[in-house]
Amino acid sequence: MEKNQALHVYIKEEILNRIKSNIYKKGEKIPTELELCKDFDVSRTTVRTALNQLTLEGYLVRHQGKGTYVAEQKVKQTLSHTVKRYSDQVAVQGKRAEIVLVGIQVIPATELLQQTLQVAPNDPVQRIERVRKANGEPTQYEIAYIPWSVAPGVIKEHAETSLYAAMKDVFQIHIAKTTEHVEIAFADERIANQLDYEEGLPCFYIETIAEDANGKIVEYSRSYFRGDKTNFVIERNYPNE
């Protein structure tokens, strides 16, 4: 243990190492709090603090009256260049992907949408709310805005497969570039409800602006990802100069 490191932090790291090294396997029950107390020679409060943090971070799941289990692996998504759909990224991890449409409505462009989408005041914009799931569990809540002039008449079938594929195949709009801003946000009542998540818990928040080959902005979206169900992979290539 590192000098001045809190005991519960050390225990948390040790348990996490056991999960990552497959000593504690996915879906299996881990030792009881009492057994962990004896293993690490610490108090129950210290062990409980470590387990609570790992539970909040999505590595453990506690079942009332049954014990604590290793959670399913988080859904990985890449933030680097990729043409893979959400369903493809999830499928290679052995999970079943699902996109559920919450609602589509046409709204007049607000000041923010005018600036972001570069449209005129009150221009019609489609507001598309969706929830993405992996194995039936919500992982992402997204609100996308697409000008009516770009892709008029987005329907449920488009929204519950791939919006970008529909824009290309149906509306002949090729997404050539996206710019994404990543932050940490905390789930409010609406987000918590859509993600089946506890209000106040942390989420990854990503704002995306999509452009076509001519640099025209064709979509603006806001996405919230459950912090306990999602992690991201960033790949960088370094040319040999």
Side-chain angles (χ1 to χ4, degrees), residues 2 13 15 55-56 70 87 183 207:
E2 295 180 12
E13 290 180 356
I15 294 173
T55 302
L56 284 174
V70 179
S87 57
E183 300 178 19
E207 275 193 18

Side-chain angles (χ1 to χ4, degrees), residues 159-228:
E160 293 192 335
T161 51
S162 168
L163 273 179
Y164 285 4
M167 290 173 77
K168 179 181 179 180
D169 299 337
V170 179
F171 302 105
Q172 285 73 56
I173 301 294
H174 171 62
I175 305 295
K177 175 186 174 182
T178 60
T179 303
E180 296 165 309
H181 299 270
V182 185
E183 300 178 19
I184 296 296
F186 295 92
D188 59 22
E189 183 178 356
R190 176 193 58 172
I191 296 165
N193 182 57
Q194 296 294 346
L195 290 177
D196 192 19
Y197 201 34
E198 186 175 330
E199 193 172 339
L201 289 183
C203 299
F204 293 105
Y205 170 63
I206 299 183
E207 275 193 18
T208 302
I209 293 177
E211 302 174 29
D212 67 11
N214 297 317
K216 179 181 179 181
I217 296 173
V218 295
E219 185 220 27
Y220 164 60
S221 69
R222 296 174 168 181
S223 297
Y224 300 87
F225 301 78
R226 279 184 57 157
D228 65 338

